[in-house]
């Protein structure tokens, strides 16, 4: 499934549709929650910090939900994330994403590919 995300309303519609698809494919609800959280964190950052939009491709492949996010303004996160200090107001999102994903890779075109293991 491919979605165009240009605002928060489009993000909500895309995630509702994608999560309904995952439930219909009998993906465990905990994994669906993880996918929703990862996508909202990363796509929300695109909408908040970028001047453009993004495309989201989501599919089930080999025991994983694979998300591919390509923003019109490329953002390349650091390879290693660290958790922010206890009293910091920001800086936990990428750390949380990395804890939920089995893999995170940035492709040559700037796309982020994330794999979330489907729980049994």
């Amino acid at each position: 499934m491919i979605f165009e995300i240009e605002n928060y309303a489009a993000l909500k519609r895309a995630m509702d549709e994608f999560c309904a698809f995952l439930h219909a494919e009998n993906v465990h609800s905990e994994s669906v929650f993880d996918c929703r959280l990862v996508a909202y964190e990363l796509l929300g950052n695109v909408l908040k910090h970028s001047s453009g939009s993004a495309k989201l491709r989501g599919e089930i492949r080999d025991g994983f939900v694979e998300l591919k996010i390509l923003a019109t303004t490329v953002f390349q996160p650091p390879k290693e994330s660290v958790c922010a200090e206890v009293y910091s107001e920001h800086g936990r999102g990428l750390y949380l994403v990395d804890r939920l994903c089995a893999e995170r890779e940035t492709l040559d075109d700037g796309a982020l590919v994330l794999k979330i293991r489907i729980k049994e």
Side-chain angles (χ1 to χ4, degrees):
M1 304 183 87
I2 298 175
F3 303 94
E4 291 281 340
I5 312 295
E6 57 280 327
N7 56 44
Y8 288 103
L11 173 56
K12 182 179 181 336
R13 280 191 308 274
M15 290 315 304
D16 288 348
E17 186 177 332
F18 185 60
C19 290
F21 163 75
L22 293 175
H23 282 297
E25 293 293 317
N26 295 314
V27 172
H28 192 282
S29 60
E30 201 173 314
S31 297
V32 175
F33 178 84
D34 291 351
C35 292
R36 181 183 294 269
L37 193 138
V38 166
Y40 264 109
E41 175 60 34
L42 296 172
L43 291 165
N45 282 344
V46 168
L47 295 174
K48 184 176 182 178
H49 301 295
S50 173
S51 59
S53 60
K55 286 185 181 178
L56 168 68
R57 186 196 75 210
E59 60 188 340
I60 298 170
R61 184 184 297 203
D62 301 324
F64 293 91
V65 175
E66 186 175 291
L67 302 175
K68 181 178 179 184
I69 298 172
L70 181 59
T72 53
T73 304
V74 174
F75 167 71
Q76 190 163 5
K79 290 189 184 284
E80 305 252 344
S81 60
V82 294
C83 189
E85 296 294 321
V86 173
Y87 295 107
S88 295
E89 292 184 23
H90 304 286
R92 291 178 187 83
L94 189 58
Y95 179 81
L96 183 61
V97 165
D98 283 344
R99 294 303 154 286
L100 294 175
C101 294
E103 291 180 37
R104 174 174 58 97
E105 176 185 10
T106 303
L107 303 180
D108 290 339
D109 64 357
L112 282 175
V113 178
L114 307 120
K115 292 184 179 179
I116 300 165
R117 185 175 308 281
I118 297 173
K119 295 174 175 78
E120 304 269 331

